């Protein structure tokens, strides 16, 4: 027993040291590699939030990117000079623009996105499967179209031009958007953001593990396996579904705030249907309801397209330039997903207890 515990502790410490050192090594090869990891960590946050809805409660949500957009635009509107430039009254009160504290905005975005999740979940309580997927898909597209067209007659979201000059995050007086020099070593902005994203991913994993093992988590899984039986046992399936939608959406809102601050710019193009599909694919590909599997799926699908940039260019030369690298990259990602799902239909790292009744 002690040996196994010591082995787990040593493995955990090695993994922790590797994660802390990783961006310092990669930034010597260029900021692009660290930026890829940063975006992968953001998608891990999104996948963990969607796993609450899809993995625990069994509700297929194809409009999850809408909550991501809500958080990003809250950060864009309240963390940039846009509203002051568009409205003279706000300009008079805030001459330099509205710049709220990032942590206040993060909490506010989580609450607003959670409420939006409950609003989405309320009319879908009696829907299941494909019908639920179609309704949530429509909700995601409605949010994107609103962001795209709310630049007239009153310019709120700046329409297709997007919002720029968004504030970077500051922690204890350290601006993550600027280089930090300690002695002879310089931390690039992408590296500083990496440590913030990593901290929030670890915090989210702890929250998800606690949820999974709580009474609420077990109730969600009962609803996922057999909603009629769960209702017969006295579970309030309506409230459980709304809670799953709300909690999953709050993860998306926080991720949106981080994304807007990291990019310094947001536009409706970042919240298309394809993004929702990719997040769902991360959960399914990794292993529905299994946190390590979801993290693995998110890292693979977020990082694989960027890595395949180096493969797509030589393949383009073989086709005499007939296929663009972007198309080849998407083709390779799709083929990889098909092969994985054929070989591992339950996901790359499925939950150990998943499918017990089927195997019997």
């Amino acid at each position: 027993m002690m040996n196994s515990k010591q082995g787990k502790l040593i493995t955990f410490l090695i993994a922790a040291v590797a994660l802390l050192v990783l961006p310092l090594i990669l930034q010597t090869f260029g900021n692009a590699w660290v930026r890829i990891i940063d975006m992968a960590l953001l998608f891990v946050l999104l996948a963990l939030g969607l796993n609450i809805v899809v993995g625990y409660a069994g509700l297929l949500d194809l409009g999850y990117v809408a909550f991501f957009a809500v958080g990003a635009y809250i950060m864009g509107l309240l963390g940039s000079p846009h509203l002051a430039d568009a409205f003279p009254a706000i300009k008079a009160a805030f001459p330099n623009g509205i710049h709220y504290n990032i942590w206040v905005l993060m909490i506010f975005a989580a609450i607003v996105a959670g409420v939006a999740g409950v609003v989405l979940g309320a009319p879908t309580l009696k829907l299941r499967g494909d019908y639920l997927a179609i309704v949530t898909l429509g909700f995601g597209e409605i949010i994107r179209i609103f962001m795209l067209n709310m630049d007239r007659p009153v310019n709120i979201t700046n329409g297709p031009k997007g919002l720029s000059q968004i504030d970077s995050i500051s922690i204890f007086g350290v601006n993550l958007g600027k280089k930090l020099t300690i002695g002879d070593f310089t931390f690039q902005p992408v590296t500083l953001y990496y440590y913030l994203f990593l901290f929030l991913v670890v915090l989210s994993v702890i929250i998800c593990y606690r949820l999974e093992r709580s009474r609420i988590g077990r109730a969600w899984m009962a609803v996922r396996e057999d909603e009629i039986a769960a209702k017969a046992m006295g579970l309030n399936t309506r409230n459980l579904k709304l809670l799953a939608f709300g909690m999953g959406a709050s993860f998306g809102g926080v991720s949106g705030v981080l994304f807007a601050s990291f990019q310094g710019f947001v536009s409706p193009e970042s919240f298309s249907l394809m993004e929702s599909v990719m997040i769902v694919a991360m959960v399914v590909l990794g292993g529905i309801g299994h946190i390590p599997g979801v993290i693995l799926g998110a890292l693979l699908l977020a990082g694989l397209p960027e890595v395949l940039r180096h493969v797509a260019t030589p393949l383009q030369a073989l086709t005499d330039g007939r296929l663009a690298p972007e198309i080849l990259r998407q083709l390779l990602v799709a083929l990889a997903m098909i092969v994985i799902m054929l070989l591992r239909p339950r996901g790359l790292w499925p939950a150990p207890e998943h499918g017990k009744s089927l195997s019997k």
Side-chain angles (χ1 to χ4, degrees):
M1 179 68 70
M2 288 299 295
N3 290 334
S4 64
K5 286 185 177 180
Q6 290 176 353
K8 289 181 179 178
L9 179 62
I10 293 172
T11 303
F12 174 78
L13 291 175
I14 292 173
V17 171
L19 288 173
L20 292 174
V21 174
L22 179 62
L24 303 179
I25 297 173
L26 290 180
Q27 76 176 19
T28 59
F29 299 99
N31 292 335
W33 292 104
V34 187
R35 188 178 183 84
I36 291 172
I37 299 177
D38 289 347
M39 293 304 299
L41 290 176
L42 271 180
F43 276 106
V44 169
L45 280 175
L46 286 169
L48 288 172
L50 184 61
N51 186 54
I52 294 175
V53 183
V54 178
Y56 294 165
L59 305 170
L60 183 55
D61 187 355
L62 287 181
Y64 188 72
V65 77
F67 312 118
F68 188 41
V70 167
Y73 269 88
I74 285 176
M75 180 63 194
L77 293 172
L78 300 180
S80 76
H82 170 71
L83 289 180
D85 295 339
F87 299 95
I90 296 178
K91 181 76 171 178
F94 302 94
N96 298 322
I98 301 177
H99 301 280
Y100 278 116
N101 183 279
I102 183 66
W103 304 109
V104 175
L105 289 179
M106 211 174 286
I107 296 171
F108 181 63
I111 294 172
V112 173
V115 172
V118 173
V119 170
L120 166 64
T124 63
L125 291 174
K126 294 184 179 180
L127 299 177
R128 300 178 188 173
D130 301 339
Y131 302 100
L132 177 62
I134 291 171
V135 171
T136 55
L137 184 153
F139 180 80
E141 283 299 287
I142 287 171
I143 295 296
R144 185 185 67 83
I145 292 170
F146 260 97
M147 301 303 183
L148 190 62
N149 291 281
M150 288 180 68
D151 59 338
R152 56 187 185 274
V154 179
N155 187 5
I156 298 177
T157 63
N158 210 25
K161 297 178 183 177
L163 301 174
S164 58
Q165 303 179 45
I166 299 174
D167 296 340
S168 55
I169 297 175
S170 294
I171 301 177
F172 302 119
V174 178
N175 189 340
L176 303 188
K178 298 180 180 179
K179 296 179 180 179
L180 175 65
T181 302
I182 299 178
D184 296 331
F185 195 84
T186 301
F187 293 86
Q188 299 295 331
V190 288
T191 303
L192 298 176
Y193 270 102
Y194 167 88
Y195 289 119
L196 173 63
F197 293 168
L198 180 64
F199 169 75
L200 291 175
V201 166
V202 172
L203 181 63
S204 300
V205 169
I206 294 172
I207 293 172
C208 289
Y209 265 118
R210 297 293 296 172
L211 277 174
E212 184 180 350
R213 285 158 175 75
S214 67
R215 291 181 61 185
I216 294 174
R218 293 194 295 271
W220 278 335
M221 293 172 196
V223 173
R224 179 191 68 192
E225 297 299 329
D226 193 328
E227 184 177 347
I228 296 175
K231 189 179 291 186
M233 293 300 294
L235 293 178
N236 191 329
T237 56
R238 180 197 62 187
N239 291 351
L240 287 169
K241 286 183 178 180
L242 291 178
L243 183 61
F245 272 115
M247 292 201 68
S250 64
F251 278 69
V254 172
S255 302
V257 171
L258 297 172
F259 173 76
S261 177
F262 179 63
Q263 293 282 97
F265 172 80
V266 291
S267 70
E269 295 176 357
S270 301
F271 313 107
S272 63
L273 171 63
M274 184 53 65
E275 298 298 325
S276 273
V277 173
M278 286 297 289
I279 300 169
V280 173
M282 291 172 184
V283 176
V284 176
L285 189 72
I288 295 178
H290 193 218
I291 294 175
V294 170
I295 295 173
L296 178 61
L299 291 175
L300 282 178
L301 281 187
L304 190 61
E306 301 301 327
V307 174
L308 287 177
R309 287 182 186 273
H310 303 282
V311 181
T313 303
L315 287 178
Q316 184 193 22
L318 293 176
T319 61
D320 295 328
R322 294 188 183 91
L323 292 176
E326 182 66 24
I327 296 175
L328 281 169
R329 203 154 54 94
Q330 292 176 356
L331 176 63
L332 292 172
V333 171
L335 288 174
M337 292 171 63
I338 291 171
V339 170
I340 290 172
M341 293 312 297
L342 287 174
L343 297 178
R344 305 278 295 182
R346 287 169 50 201
L348 289 171
W349 196 343
E353 69 275 5
H354 185 67
K356 276 186 177 179
S357 57
L358 295 178
S359 62
K360 289 180 182 178

